[in-house]
Amino acid sequence: MGTTLSVLASVAVLRSTVKEFVPPEIRTYLLELSRRFSSEIVLVVPESHEGSTNHLHKALATYLGSAAVSDPGAPPRRLTVGKSETMKVLTFGLDRNSEIVDRFDGIPMKWAYFTETNTAIHFELKWYELRVHRKHGELVTARYFTHILETAKKIRDRSRVVKFFTTRSGRDGWSTKGMNLEHPMTFETLAMDGDLKHEVIEDLDSFMGGRDYYKKIGKVWKRGYLLYGPPGTGKSSLIAAMANYLNFDIYNLNLSVVNSDSSLEYLLLHMSNRSILVVEDIDCSLMLQNRQAVDHQQRLVPDQNPAATQIQVPIRPNQVTLSGLLNAIDGLLSCCGDERIVVFTTNYKDRIDPALLRAGRMDMHIHLTYCTFSTFKQLALNYLDIGYHKLFGQVQRLISEVEVSPAEVAGELMKERDPSSSLECLIRFLQSKKAEVKPSSPEDVFSDGENCKPKQNDGRKDEKAVCKPLEVGGYRIKEELSSTLGSILSEHGDIVANCTLQSPECRALFLELVCEIFQKLQALKETRLTLAELNSMAKSVRDLESLKLEVGWLLGSLDEVTPVLNGTEAMP
């Protein structure tokens, strides 16, 4: 190292001596003469270009510093090292009067970094010089410099600190600097169904690698996700994992403090690229409820009470409108930025206007459910560092019988550090939840407010209760079909809204038929259906479609299954 420093010092003295005693004209002549007989060309990258910052110079500092550190076989050289507030890791760069050889497509690219201080104006000039064979000049300008810019951007994006920004009010914009997002959640530690987690990661990877594809098809490079499910199922944790995985900043948009559509536009225009826009609890942030649901409520108001035919909704002056929100996330304004993700969260998907949910706005709907055994195993690994325990079987049985959120399970696992004690504590908690589900009296109140009462016992054993139908979405159907109908209405809306039949009772009967067919398709793995049975179900669905029920999605599912059975007797 001492020898290297001596040589560099000698070179510096020689350069200053030549500049002092050799006239500029002679220096220029000698330089031109050397270039004429040299097989190399020299490309100079100054710190500024045409009066502004030279982005290639800035990229070279990142690119060459990273290359110098990552090349263990390179000879010793002087490097600068530092840590800025915006970067998570140390950054390196070439010190002045240092050289490095970078290889691109097997061709040596000889870089040197120089500085020179103008004592008269106390200004320091900085520049990089690239020496390369003349025949590779086109390669350098066409591909090498582009490679440097792209690689440096990837290094900076991967290493920068993720920021969290919040809204203040009106046109005040986002919080000035943002806070460092130090949330430790990653996809490795996220308690989420394994298959669903894999789907989300694949979708994010596809989005990040799709710049050229989005440009080719003429779409803005953005992606929308709807996270819905009961409280405590991991919606906020999933957002944090996405931000850490992509190294994207988070902009948390509180619509209740935004006083107009123009203020919303102002906020979105001042977001950075590579960011996630989050609107939590979109169904209750503002009065942006499902317009179809409002219309349905209006139709249910008794005609004999004219005063009740209008739903009185208090509207705050100058608040964000549904139209303004739609234009902000999917209109021309959305073109003012790249690499952006929009995330809506809600506990009740059916309360959101369908206009917000269509593809292009919310491209992927992610249903986060109550804790499954797969989710529990991830939690046990995170909190107890175990992948298996003899009590897992008991936990699996109880989790399948009760509805418990991953947050509740995590809370129980945190109470004890010993795995056996912790799992025993969780089992007691699940057993108490299961006991709460069982009715404590002969009367069990349903969602429609009516009771399910047993017949008067006349001395016969095993007398079963006679239950009235449940009401789901305004339709009274069998109790065993209620959850299925709820899922269908949530996913596809009111499929009998345009039905030619006017009687609610008749509509309910057809909805029960749809639910029965849907349940049979869902249970194909456990039951055996013949081709004739599937064809019969398809005919029933076509008859329903002729009555203007919106069941095209169900017919599509049947069409996908039927070809599998052709030439076979039955499907296991």
Side-chain angles (χ1 to χ4, degrees):
M1 177 62 79
T3 304
T4 303
L5 293 176
S6 300
V7 172
L8 291 175
S10 302
V11 171
V13 171
L14 181 61
R15 284 169 59 93
S16 62
T17 302
V18 170
K19 289 182 63 177
E20 184 175 354
F21 294 103
V22 179
E25 295 81 3
I26 296 178
R27 292 205 310 268
T28 302
Y29 175 77
L30 292 174
L31 183 61
E32 291 294 333
L33 186 65
S34 64
R35 288 176 177 174
R36 182 173 300 178
F37 291 99
S38 174
S39 60
E40 291 183 331
I41 58 173
V42 179
L43 298 172
V44 178
V45 184
E47 186 177 19
S48 61
H49 179 67
E50 296 182 354
S52 62
T53 301
N54 188 343
H55 293 289
L56 181 57
H57 183 279
K58 187 176 180 180
L60 277 168
T62 302
Y63 177 81
L64 294 178
S66 175
V69 173
S70 61
D71 185 3
R77 59 175 64 86
R78 287 172 60 87
L79 300 175
T80 61
V81 60
K83 171 73 169 63
S84 68
E85 292 183 359
T86 61
M87 304 297 283
K88 293 187 290 188
V89 297
L90 297 175
T91 56
F92 300 87
L94 290 181
D95 196 9
R96 58 184 177 179
N97 302 320
S98 296
E99 297 182 352
I100 185 175
V101 177
D102 179 43
R103 291 192 173 273
F104 180 72
D105 284 356
I107 300 167
M109 305 290 178
K110 304 172 186 176
W111 285 101
Y113 179 58
F114 301 105
T115 63
E116 186 175 281
T117 303
N118 188 323
T119 56
I121 60 175
H122 302 287
F123 183 76
E124 186 178 35
L125 298 174
K126 304 175 183 178
W127 73 94
Y128 289 94
E129 287 185 4
L130 169 62
R131 294 180 179 273
V132 65
H133 198 282
R134 290 177 179 272
K135 66 181 180 180
H136 301 309
E138 184 178 353
L139 171 69
V140 170
T141 55
R143 293 175 49 207
Y144 184 50
F145 285 157
T146 301
H147 166 73
I148 290 173
L149 290 168
E150 292 177 349
T151 304
K153 180 180 182 300
K154 290 179 181 178
I155 294 172
R156 288 195 298 268
D157 290 342
R158 187 171 58 245
S159 305
R160 72 188 182 108
V161 172
V162 176
K163 295 285 186 177
F164 181 83
F165 298 88
T166 58
T167 46
R168 291 179 290 186
S169 63
R171 284 187 174 273
D172 288 343
W174 303 102
S175 48
T176 309
K177 290 185 177 180
M179 299 174 289
N180 291 351
L181 182 69
E182 298 177 349
H183 201 296
M185 184 59 68
T186 65
F187 278 115
E188 287 73 22
T189 57
L190 178 65
M192 183 179 178
D193 181 75
D195 292 338
L196 182 58
K197 184 192 298 188
H198 183 67
E199 288 179 20
V200 174
I201 294 174
E202 279 192 339
D203 194 77
L204 290 172
D205 289 340
S206 176
F207 168 73
M208 291 303 298
R211 182 190 187 101
D212 294 336
Y213 175 73
Y214 276 78
K215 185 176 181 180
K216 173 186 173 183
I217 62 177
K219 287 180 66 69
V220 180
W221 193 14
K222 68 180 184 65
R223 190 78 172 158
Y225 295 88
L226 174 71
L227 313 183
Y228 67 100
T233 51
K235 294 184 282 293
S236 297
S237 296
L238 176 56
I239 294 171
M242 292 168 68
N244 286 327
Y245 183 74
L246 300 173
N247 234 41
F248 275 24
D249 292 333
I250 292 180
Y251 287 79
N252 191 57
L253 178 61
N254 183 356
L255 289 174
S256 64
V257 302
V258 183
N259 54 30
S260 66
D261 290 343
S262 60
S263 297
L264 178 62
E265 293 177 1
Y266 177 86
L267 287 168
L268 267 62
L269 283 171
H270 287 77
M271 285 177 57
S272 65
N273 291 339
R274 294 182 60 84
S275 59
I276 302 176
L277 177 69
V278 178
V279 184
E280 295 192 275
D281 298 320
I282 181 65
D283 56 297
C284 46
S285 294
L286 287 174
M287 299 303 291
L288 298 176
Q289 290 98 335
N290 187 331
R291 291 169 296 182
Q292 293 180 358
V294 173
D295 292 341
H296 180 65
Q297 293 175 20
Q298 289 175 336
R299 289 196 298 270
L300 292 179
V301 175
D303 294 336
Q304 62 270 24
N305 186 0
T309 56
Q310 298 296 325
I311 295 179
Q312 301 297 324
V313 179
I315 299 178
R316 176 170 56 85
N318 300 322
Q319 72 175 21
V320 174
T321 65
L322 176 60
S323 175
L325 182 59
L326 294 177
N327 290 332
I329 64 174
D330 195 31
L332 291 176
L333 182 65
S334 66
C335 303
C336 303
D338 267 343
E339 288 184 281
R340 288 185 180 176
I341 288 176
V342 180
V343 178
F344 288 166
T345 73
T346 179
N347 296 334
Y348 307 100
K349 180 181 177 182
D350 57 325
R351 295 183 184 178
I352 302 178
D353 194 289
L356 280 169
L357 303 182
R358 72 164 177 80
R361 289 172 181 150
M362 294 296 106
D363 302 286
M364 187 174 185
H365 297 191
I366 303 173
H367 186 201
L368 299 173
T369 62
Y370 289 108
C371 189
T372 63
F373 185 60
S374 172
T375 306
F376 159 74
K377 288 194 294 184
Q378 179 65 61
L379 289 170
L381 186 63
N382 293 345
Y383 289 86
L384 305 177
D385 293 322
I386 58 173
Y388 174 77
H389 193 278
K390 62 182 180 179
L391 294 176
F392 272 19
Q394 193 172 351
V395 173
Q396 181 178 12
R397 179 179 58 79
L398 287 168
I399 282 181
S400 66
E401 296 173 350
V402 299
E403 292 182 344
V404 58
S405 69
E408 291 177 301
V409 173
E412 295 300 317
L413 294 178
M414 289 180 68
K415 292 180 178 180
E416 297 284 348
R417 294 291 185 269
D418 176 65
S420 297
S421 301
S422 180
L423 290 175
E424 289 171 358
C425 183
L426 174 61
I427 289 171
R428 288 193 295 270
F429 171 75
L430 294 175
Q431 288 172 338
S432 67
K433 292 277 288 187
K434 182 179 178 181
E436 292 174 3
V437 174
K438 293 182 178 180
S440 56
S441 68
E443 297 185 354
D444 189 16
V445 181
F446 286 94
S447 59
D448 61 354
E450 298 188 21
N451 295 332
C452 173
K453 299 181 179 180
K455 292 180 180 180
Q456 295 297 324
N457 194 334
D458 57 2
R460 291 176 294 180
K461 295 182 180 181
D462 302 327
E463 188 67 42
K464 294 185 179 180
V466 178
C467 300
K468 294 185 177 181
L470 297 185
E471 184 172 310
V472 180
Y475 303 102
R476 298 173 64 81
I477 67 167
K478 299 176 183 176
E479 178 186 352
E480 61 268 22
L481 300 176
S482 59
S483 60
T484 302
L485 179 59
S487 300
I488 292 174
L489 295 181
S490 174
E491 184 72 20
H492 304 284
D494 191 353
I495 62 175
V496 296
N498 301 317
C499 180
T500 56
L501 299 172
Q502 299 301 317
S503 166
E505 292 77 14
C506 291
R507 291 188 174 193
L509 289 174
F510 285 122
L511 283 174
E512 288 183 350
L513 177 59
V514 171
C515 291
E516 290 170 356
I517 294 175
F518 182 76
Q519 285 184 346
K520 289 179 181 179
L521 282 179
Q522 293 294 100
L524 272 180
K525 292 183 179 180
E526 289 80 21
T527 61
R528 299 174 62 87
L529 290 175
T530 64
L531 184 59
E533 288 173 324
L534 280 174
N535 288 333
S536 177
M537 288 192 292
K539 290 178 181 179
S540 298
V541 175
R542 291 190 183 94
D543 288 339
L544 294 173
E545 199 170 33
S546 68
L547 295 174
K548 295 187 177 180
L549 273 75
E550 297 175 6
V551 289
W553 55 273
L554 184 57
L555 188 60
S557 299
L558 284 165
D559 289 342
E560 290 178 2
V561 174
T562 303
V564 178
L565 296 183
N566 285 332
T568 65
E569 180 60 26
M571 171 181 278

